């Protein structure tokens, strides 16, 4: 019974770690402009970071073939012809880390042409670390719970 | 949860005993496989528009790693088309055993290679070239054809399914991870097998063939080398073979002490981490190195790949669990404790594949209508535009897989540490650190 309660406590703690809102420090939104060069099969810079609420302008410049830039989570994209540039402007109103992908077939490694766009801190990564830590510690009540259940099953089996 | 005998159901049992349902699936699979070879060789060389890339590396891979292996173990091997032509040739029959067997060499597989080291090497060979293999249709076509011809060649020289058992690059890790699956084929009563004359399950009879996987079912204690081909159900004269539903990872309660299997666990764990960094990470230089085979950058990439898998990861693990003892005892403890890495490795692959599959799944619809990239529109889906699917649940899904894998591995470590009479803490610390690295790579 005690290990069952302990396990329940771990599950609840896990839910808190995963979903509890975190305090956010208010930062004045800014205008942020990035020039991203796209080539087969990489972006340069490949990682950009902004603050929540920033007005972001991405100037995509393709240096070889036609490339695109699609931001997961935001669902917005832009395409640039070879030697040309194209611009995408949006408000970074979703926090977290998002993958940036080429959305125009540009060659063999096209599905793996990936970059990273981070708004604020990558909260989910830290939450995941917390969950992993809780998971490791929970193994002790979990195994005690499973052992108790097995013994109970064996006893009821012997009773039959 | 105790075991539930699925073959206790007469419908399930007759469906498994009957050769026709299996043959029907085999024919569909073989047709798909041959078409994938054809598409790879004659279709468009734009990977994301070619059936061979889209259906093999996205659709098949998703089914294999997200469904087939975790829930059915070697279920894929039961319907895999690769050994079929060779097996039909070897047997001289497609269905029931013929009266007269064809005269092939029928040699025993060399004793020195009766382990999974060759499978470890064949997997690594493909893994080192994976950036090209996963994206270039004609390379995929050549590799698929090569595997088919290798299986045919080995069937004419060696007895049973030598390719599947000792060489298949996929079969090695399916076997390793099948130990975690909630399905097993086992005997019902050991005594019946001990007194059975002629052992038709291993040697064959008029009702069926001897075990194609070179396994005596009476001695089966884990899923690793049972290909679920169902021959023993057909040949057993005592109705002593059962397919059971069982708790997940039941086989891991008895850890293996084999170094080939231990290194398979490191190979799979390390490969998932390297793929996550190279293929899904934002580092263009890594992608260039992995893709440009033959360049100095690729050789460095290959050396790092092999170094991480064969030196760094096992050495750190050995360091974690080391204590003063003789070499043989240490090797046994190393292999026993590395069993804990099996659930973690499987869940690393699930987390990696979720990202890869969900972002590229829409290519399946386009490729279905235009499998060769010739401009067809067979089902009206050729122009479906690329769109990543379910990206909002991707990160939570990956976390769930990785943290779940960590807990599962920690639980397995408890059992393995009991068996090895050692502390489980170093193993848990190792699993925890590798999980953090994987989280950092994927999130």
């Amino acid at each position: 019974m005690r290990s069952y309660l302990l396990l329940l406590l771990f599950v609840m703690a896990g839910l808190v770690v995963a979903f509890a809102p975190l305090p956010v420090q208010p930062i004045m939104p800014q205008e942020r402009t990035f020039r991203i060069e796209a080539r087969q099969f990489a972006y340069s810079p490949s990682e950009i970071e902004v603050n929540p609420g920033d007005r972001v302008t991405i100037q995509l410049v393709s240096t070889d073939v036609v490339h695109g830039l699609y931001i997961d989570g935001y669902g917005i994209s832009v395409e640039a012809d070879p030697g040309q540039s194209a611009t995408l402007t949006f408000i970074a109103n979703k926090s977290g880390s998002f993958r940036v992908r080429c959305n125009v077939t540009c060659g063999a490694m096209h599905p793996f042409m990936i970059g990273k766009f981070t708004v604020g801190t990558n909260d989910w990564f830290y939450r995941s670390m917390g969950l992993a830590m809780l998971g490791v510690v929970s193994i002790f009540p979990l195994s005690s719970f499973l052992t108790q259940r097995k013994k109970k099953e064996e006893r009821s089996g012997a009773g039959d | 949860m105790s075991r539930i005998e699925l073959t206790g159901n007469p419908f399930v049992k007759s469906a498994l005993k009957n050769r026709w349902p299996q043959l029907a699936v085999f024919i569909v699979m073989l047709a798909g496989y041959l078409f994938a070879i054809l598409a790879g060789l004659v279709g468009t060389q734009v990977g994301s528009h070619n059936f061979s890339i889209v259906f093999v590396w996205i659709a098949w891979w998703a089914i294999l790693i997200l469904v087939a292996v975790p829930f059915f173990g070697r279920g894929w091997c039961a319907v895999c088309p690769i050994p079929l032509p060779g097996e039909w040739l070897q047997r001289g029959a497609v269905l029931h055993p013929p009266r007269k067997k064809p005269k092939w060499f029928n040699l025993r597989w060399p004793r020195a290679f009766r382990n999974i080291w060759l499978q470890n090497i064949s997997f690594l060979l493909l893994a080192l070239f994976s950036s090209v293999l996963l994206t270039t249709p004609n390379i995929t076509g050549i590799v698929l054809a090569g595997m088919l011809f290798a299986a045919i060649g080995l069937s004419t020289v060696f007895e049973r399914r030598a390719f599947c058992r000792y060489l298949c690059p996929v079969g090695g890790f399916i076997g390793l991870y099948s130990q975690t699956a909630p399905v097993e084929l086992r005997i019902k009563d050991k005594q019946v097998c001990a007194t059975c004359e002629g052992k038709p399950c291993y040697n064959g009879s008029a009702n069926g063939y001897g075990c194609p996987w070179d396994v005596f079912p009476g001695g089966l204690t884990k899923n690793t080398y049972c290909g679920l081909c169902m021959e023993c159900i057909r040949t057993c004269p005592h109705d002593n073979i059962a397919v059971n539903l069982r708790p997940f990872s039941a086989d891991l309660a008895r850890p293996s002490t084999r170094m080939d299997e231990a290194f398979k666990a490191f190979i799979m764990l390390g490969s998932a981490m390297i793929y996550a960094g190279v293929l899904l990470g934002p580092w263009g230089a890594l992608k260039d190195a992995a893709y440009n085979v033959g360049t100095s950058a690729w050789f460095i990439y290959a050396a790092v790949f092999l170094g991480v898998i064969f030196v760094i990861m096992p050495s750190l693990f050995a360091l974690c669990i080391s204590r003063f003892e003789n070499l043989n005892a240490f090797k046994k403890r190393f292999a026993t404790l590395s069993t804990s890495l099996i659930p973690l490795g499987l869940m690393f692959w699930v987390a990696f594949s979720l990202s890869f599959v969900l972002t590229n799944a829409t290519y399946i619809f386009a490729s279905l209508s235009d499998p060769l990239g010739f401009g067809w529109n067979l089902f009206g889906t050729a122009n479906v535009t690329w769109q990543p699917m379910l990206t909002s649940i991707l990160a939570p899904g990956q976390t769930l897989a990785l943290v779940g894998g960590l807990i599962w591995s920690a639980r397995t470590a408890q059992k393995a540490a009991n068996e090895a009479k050692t502390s489980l803490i170093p193993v848990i610390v190792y699993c925890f650190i590798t999980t953090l690295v994987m989280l950092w790579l994927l999130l």
Side-chain angles (χ1 to χ4, degrees):
Chain A
M1 188 65 184
R2 243 180 67 193
S3 62
Y4 177 76
L5 284 175
L6 207 57
L7 204 62
L8 201 69
L9 201 70
F10 270 101
V11 172
M12 286 168 70
L15 290 172
V16 170
V17 171
F19 300 111
L22 297 173
V24 187
Q25 272 194 330
I27 299 169
M28 274 293 280
Q30 294 177 359
E31 286 276 347
R32 306 289 299 271
T33 303
F34 299 92
R35 183 179 192 274
I36 296 181
E37 282 192 9
R39 62 159 178 93
Q40 287 177 320
F41 302 96
Y43 296 105
S44 177
S46 59
E47 296 180 66
I48 55 174
E49 291 176 19
V50 299
N51 291 317
D54 282 355
R55 184 182 162 86
V56 181
T57 299
I58 290 174
Q59 190 188 6
L60 182 71
V61 183
S62 173
T63 59
D64 42 32
V65 297
V66 182
H67 287 291
L69 187 151
Y70 174 95
I71 305 177
D72 278 5
Y74 281 78
I76 51 175
S77 63
V78 64
E79 289 173 22
D81 288 332
Q84 305 290 312
S85 70
T87 303
L88 176 70
T89 301
F90 60 100
I91 305 289
N93 54 5
K94 291 179 192 168
S95 295
S97 187
F98 306 91
R99 287 289 192 267
V100 167
R101 304 171 195 280
C102 181
N103 61 335
V104 180
T105 303
C106 61
M109 286 282 279
H110 155 72
F112 304 115
M113 185 168 165
I114 291 169
K116 206 171 173 183
F117 174 62
T118 305
V119 182
T121 50
N122 186 359
D123 285 348
W124 190 253
F125 172 60
Y126 297 110
R127 288 179 193 271
S128 300
M129 280 174 69
L131 287 172
M133 220 172 287
L134 262 178
V136 164
V137 181
S138 75
I139 190 65
F140 299 100
L142 178 70
S143 66
S144 154
F145 170 72
L146 291 173
T147 312
Q148 277 179 16
R149 209 178 66 169
K150 200 176 174 186
K151 277 183 186 164
K152 205 174 158 187
E153 273 178 11
E154 279 169 5
R155 272 203 302 271
S156 66
D160 293 341
Chain B
M1 183 187 143
S2 55
R3 282 159 168 76
I4 298 168
E5 191 194 330
L6 296 175
T7 36
N9 179 314
F11 175 75
V12 173
K13 189 168 186 179
S14 65
L16 293 178
K17 269 188 109 164
N18 194 324
R19 291 180 182 280
W20 287 101
Q22 195 180 28
L23 182 70
V25 180
F26 272 150
I27 288 171
V28 172
M29 293 290 176
L30 187 60
Y33 192 85
L34 294 175
F35 187 69
I37 295 173
L38 183 80
L41 298 178
V42 306
T44 173
Q45 288 308 299
V46 179
S48 51
H49 296 280
N50 187 297
F51 179 89
S52 69
I53 297 291
V54 174
F55 273 81
V56 175
W57 301 123
I58 301 174
W60 169 76
W61 182 258
I63 293 168
L64 181 76
I65 213 74
L66 302 178
V67 182
V69 174
F71 296 102
F72 302 100
R74 276 209 187 259
W76 165 255
C77 298
V79 295
C80 175
I82 298 173
L84 287 186
E87 194 164 70
W88 291 339
L89 211 61
Q90 186 189 60
R91 291 172 172 176
V94 170
L95 284 170
H96 301 280
R99 287 206 183 121
K100 203 176 163 194
K101 272 187 175 179
K103 285 183 180 163
W104 298 107
F105 293 101
N106 215 25
L107 302 178
R108 289 281 289 158
W109 185 255
R111 185 176 286 275
F113 298 117
R114 282 183 212 159
N115 48 52
I116 62 166
W117 281 114
L118 286 178
Q119 286 182 316
N120 289 348
I121 293 168
S122 64
F123 175 83
L124 281 173
L125 267 179
L126 294 190
L128 284 176
F129 297 96
S130 59
S131 295
V132 179
L133 177 65
L134 298 181
T135 57
T136 316
N138 57 20
I139 301 292
T140 286
I142 290 167
V143 168
L144 294 182
M147 284 166 66
L148 192 68
F149 285 118
I152 292 172
L154 288 178
S155 292
T156 60
V157 177
F158 296 102
E159 60 169 9
R160 307 174 198 257
R161 287 189 181 180
F163 176 81
C164 302
R165 178 70 201 261
Y166 301 110
L167 212 61
C168 177
V170 181
F173 76 77
I174 295 181
L176 186 81
Y177 292 144
S178 69
Q179 297 177 80
T180 65
V183 173
E184 65 177 14
L185 182 143
R186 294 290 186 275
I187 55 161
K188 296 176 193 171
D189 182 351
K190 240 180 186 163
Q191 199 53 39
V192 172
C193 292
T195 54
C196 175
E197 274 182 34
K199 311 276 190 274
C201 59
Y202 184 74
N203 296 314
S205 69
N207 294 326
Y209 304 91
C211 178
W213 288 76
D214 202 15
V215 169
F216 171 53
L220 262 182
T221 55
K222 55 181 191 170
N223 285 353
T224 317
Y225 303 109
C226 168
L228 296 176
C229 64
M230 305 298 157
E231 277 309 319
C232 54
I233 290 191
R234 293 167 190 138
T235 51
C236 180
H238 309 290
D239 190 22
N240 196 36
I241 308 278
V243 176
N244 301 319
L245 208 58
R246 62 175 197 179
F248 280 94
S249 74
D251 290 350
L252 301 182
R254 289 179 298 273
S256 167
T257 54
R258 287 174 51 166
M259 287 303 269
D260 56 341
E261 291 179 13
F263 267 85
K264 187 81 203 166
F266 284 103
I267 289 170
M268 297 313 295
L269 195 72
S271 301
M273 293 170 84
I274 293 170
Y275 279 180
V278 173
L279 298 179
L280 304 182
W283 305 289
L286 284 182
K287 294 177 209 291
D288 287 345
Y291 183 71
N292 294 312
V293 173
T295 60
S296 52
W298 181 82
F299 281 107
I300 293 168
Y301 161 77
V304 171
F305 194 116
L306 296 176
V308 167
I309 283 168
F310 281 116
V311 183
I312 296 174
M313 294 192 67
S315 302
L316 287 175
F317 188 75
L319 210 65
C320 280
I321 63 160
S322 65
R323 68 178 185 206
F324 291 107
E325 61 191 334
N326 70 48
L327 185 65
N328 278 342
F330 177 74
K331 276 165 79 173
K332 194 177 166 193
R333 207 156 58 85
F334 178 88
T336 301
L337 292 175
S338 66
T339 303
S340 322
L341 306 178
I342 294 172
L344 192 66
L346 175 63
M347 298 317 274
F348 273 25
W349 279 98
V350 167
F352 163 77
S353 304
L354 272 177
S355 172
F356 175 56
V357 167
L358 289 179
T359 50
N360 294 301
T362 42
Y363 288 130
I364 295 172
F365 302 111
S367 183
L368 204 62
S369 278
D370 188 14
L372 302 174
F374 286 172
W376 302 343
N377 197 357
L378 300 175
F379 305 105
T381 56
N383 299 317
V384 169
T385 50
W386 173 84
Q387 185 82 26
M389 289 167 69
L390 304 170
T391 47
S392 59
I393 62 151
L394 183 55
Q398 287 174 319
T399 300
L400 203 65
L402 295 176
V403 174
L406 177 64
I407 296 171
W408 193 357
S409 270
R411 176 80 184 126
T412 308
Q414 281 186 320
K415 294 173 188 168
N418 275 343
E419 187 85 12
K421 294 180 179 59
T422 188
S423 166
L424 81 154
I425 302 295
V427 182
I428 291 184
V429 169
Y430 184 88
C431 292
F432 180 67
I433 292 170
T434 48
T435 304
L436 290 191
V437 174
M438 192 65 174
L439 283 167
W440 175 72
L441 287 168
L442 288 177
L443 298 179

